[in-house]
Amino acid sequence: MKMKEFKEPYYLVDFNSAICNFEIYINDMPAFIHKEGGSIASHYPINHFILESGKQEIKIRVLPTKNNARLGDDTFLKIKVFYYDSSTTNYENTFEAFKYETPDFKDKNIPSIEIVSSFDTEVPYKLIGWKSSVTFKDIKNKDEIIKFYKSIYDLFKNENINELINLQTIKFHEVDTSMYLVEDNKKELSSLLSKLKKEQFVLQQFPSSVNMQFFGYGKVLNIVGENNLPVIYYRNEKTNDEFSFPILIHKKAESNSFEIIR
């Protein structure tokens, strides 16, 4: 099957690493960030960061593990972007769009690596995303941003499902479109919050101080608290299990308010 015959081209980034931390960005959006060191091998869908067909940017950072100043002799990272037609059940019929593998680090004093490259895609949709959004460097009043996140936090705390769905209308529409999903997002969110409560996960306090993270070439923002923990962060005190809910926002040029975009 040729790529143009794909009804639902589904793109994923595949990674396999040892003795390093790493970050993967698609079009300057955080596709996967690994901070635990050790080894990991998995893959993650990236269609929701692909707004339309054409060339997509991929940025990879390879970082040393905690308390180390350089990449170890045995460090390695293999990255692959591949795709298949999700409208079929033939998951073996995959095609490679991009590949990267770290060099040999033995006897070399390399603190980190960053590479920026690109790969070509064809998708049957066009998303607005953050294309027409303002850059956050033009927004002077940072208190507005924190206030917006605080309002989202309160909605989660009060389990205000209807308003949470309303605030995420654009996000859900774009993610469902790019992933070829037909979801009852209200039902899914309600089920998730019920499950967290049942399993004794507790929403942690809104952070007393926050840091801002900029993505999407400065047009998308996230705020995190201490230790880079998300604002919507649940924890089970008995098991130490964690769950977080990402909230990435943007602001359209003609709008007076922020929107959740991913």
Side-chain angles (χ1 to χ4, degrees):
M1 180 183 288
K2 296 180 180 179
M3 185 176 178
K4 289 184 178 179
E5 296 173 352
F6 282 15
K7 285 180 62 179
E8 297 178 351
Y10 195 81
Y11 290 82
L12 303 100
V13 61
D14 183 274
F15 41 87
N16 183 5
S17 76
I19 318 175
C20 67
N21 293 325
F22 62 91
E23 302 172 355
I24 304 171
Y25 299 88
I26 303 295
N27 297 321
D28 200 39
M29 296 290 281
F32 193 85
I33 295 177
H34 177 64
K35 301 182 291 185
E36 308 302 321
S39 300
I40 184 172
S42 190
H43 51 255
Y44 193 79
I46 57 172
N47 276 49
H48 53 306
F49 298 136
I50 297 171
L51 301 182
E52 60 184 305
S53 296
K55 201 169 287 294
Q56 315 298 324
E57 183 189 88
I58 181 169
K59 178 167 62 179
I60 302 165
R61 291 181 181 144
V62 190
L63 306 166
T65 54
K66 189 177 180 180
N67 300 324
N68 286 302
R70 70 177 185 89
L71 298 169
D73 291 351
D74 297 323
T75 290
F76 77 80
L77 174 64
K78 297 178 182 179
I79 301 285
K80 179 176 69 174
V81 174
F82 70 98
Y83 59 96
Y84 64 91
D85 187 355
S86 67
S87 69
T88 74
T89 56
N90 186 6
Y91 304 122
E92 303 300 318
N93 191 30
T94 65
F95 293 83
E96 191 174 284
F98 172 83
K99 189 175 183 179
Y100 170 77
E101 184 173 347
T102 49
D104 183 4
F105 293 119
K106 192 170 184 179
D107 300 324
K108 296 177 182 176
N109 188 22
I110 300 177
S112 64
I113 286 180
E114 177 173 310
I115 70 142
V116 179
S117 188
S118 63
F119 58 95
D120 292 318
T121 61
E122 287 185 24
V123 292
Y125 59 81
K126 274 192 175 184
L127 306 178
I128 297 298
W130 44 94
K131 282 188 270 188
S132 60
S133 307
V134 299
T135 59
F136 276 93
K137 68 179 182 181
D138 297 330
I139 299 174
K140 306 302 181 185
N141 189 356
K142 301 299 189 290
D143 289 341
E144 289 182 16
I145 297 169
I146 296 173
K147 183 179 178 182
F148 183 71
Y149 271 91
K150 184 64 167 64
S151 69
I152 297 168
Y153 175 90
D154 289 339
L155 292 174
F156 273 95
K157 186 176 181 179
N158 297 324
E159 298 183 19
N160 190 331
I161 304 293
N162 289 331
E163 192 57 32
L164 283 170
I165 291 297
N166 289 338
L167 275 177
Q168 297 181 90
T169 299
I170 296 172
K171 168 189 170 179
F172 286 142
H173 169 71
E174 292 202 343
V175 171
D176 290 350
T177 298
S178 64
M179 298 288 196
Y180 319 111
L181 299 172
V182 179
E183 296 282 354
D184 185 338
N185 291 302
K186 183 176 180 180
K187 182 179 178 180
E188 292 289 330
L189 181 58
S190 180
S191 176
L192 171 62
L193 294 183
S194 295
K195 183 179 179 182
L196 289 171
K197 180 184 285 187
K198 183 179 179 181
E199 296 181 3
Q200 298 183 322
F201 281 81
V202 177
L203 179 62
Q204 302 300 292
Q205 292 292 324
F206 192 87
S208 55
S209 61
V210 299
N211 293 315
M212 297 189 180
Q213 300 174 331
F214 300 94
F215 303 114
Y217 311 109
K219 295 182 176 183
V220 178
L221 179 140
N222 181 34
I223 67 171
V224 293
E226 294 179 6
N227 299 319
N228 284 328
L229 291 175
V231 168
I232 309 303
Y233 172 67
Y234 292 83
R235 187 178 181 86
N236 184 314
E237 300 298 339
K238 293 181 180 178
T239 64
N240 286 328
D241 289 334
E242 304 169 317
F243 181 85
S244 59
F245 201 96
I247 303 288
L248 300 179
I249 69 170
H250 77 139
K251 188 175 186 179
K252 291 180 181 176
E254 70 278 8
S255 175
N256 292 320
S257 62
F258 303 108
E259 293 177 339
I260 298 174
I261 192 65
R262 288 295 181 271

